[in-house]
Every structure is written in structure tokens, then in C-alpha cells.
Amino acid sequence: MSNSQKKNLYREYELGIAEGFIPGPKLSFDNYFKNSDLFDMIEMKCLDCHFELNLSYEHFSMDVLHNEAAFPLDFCPECGKLQFVPKDVFKKLIPFNVLK
């Protein structure tokens, strides 16, 4: 994860603390990133338009950890369809033409 991505995530975290969405106390920048593997990056790819992007696992962690999703799933930022999946899932599904 780049420094710029870390700074953006930390700003989102600070905003979540300030607005009461994330319980405190607030962690320092260094402690925030060294306490968890939630900051791993996931290579995502759209099943429809094939757009690719690396995203932080943090965005999907709660759904996966609470068994609400078997894998991260999101709307594609390029085409807007709910077809944005991890690249390894993409590679398993595309050969079977799951969308046809």
C-alpha cells in the first residue's frame, strides 16, 4: 500500500472517529497500520467490463468477517455494475461464462 493510500485511509478513520461511526480512542497513524492485516490490498476485477483496481481489504472486512459475504463484492467504479470481485474469483468464474 502506498503512503498516499495510507494517508487517505487514516483520514477516513479519523473522520469515522470524529463522527462517531468508529469507536475510540483514536490510534496514532503508526499504531493504526501496525495493529491489523486489514490494510492488505486486494486486486479487484469487474466480471462485466474487466476494469481492474487494487482496493484495501478494510472496505470489505466486516462483511467477510461476519459471514455476510464469501468474498469481497462491490459495484464496479467503471461500469457501475455489482460485478467487482477479487481477481482470483474472476479467474475462476469467467471460464464458466457465469454471466451468460
Side-chain angles (χ1 to χ4, degrees), residues 4 13 17 26-27 32 37 47 50 55 66 68 73-75 79 81 87 95:
S4 175
Y13 164 73
I17 292 277
K26 185 175 116 178
L27 298 172
Y32 180 67
D37 62 348
L47 291 165
H50 298 209
L55 295 175
H66 291 110
E68 294 172 12
L73 175 66
D74 205 351
F75 289 95
C79 70
K81 294 183 180 174
K87 199 169 183 178

Side-chain angles (χ1 to χ4, degrees), residues 57-77:
Y57 176 67
E58 179 185 32
H59 295 290
F60 309 103
S61 63
M62 290 302 127
D63 291 339
V64 174
L65 291 173
H66 291 110
N67 294 321
E68 294 172 12
F71 52 83
L73 175 66
D74 205 351
F75 289 95
C76 176

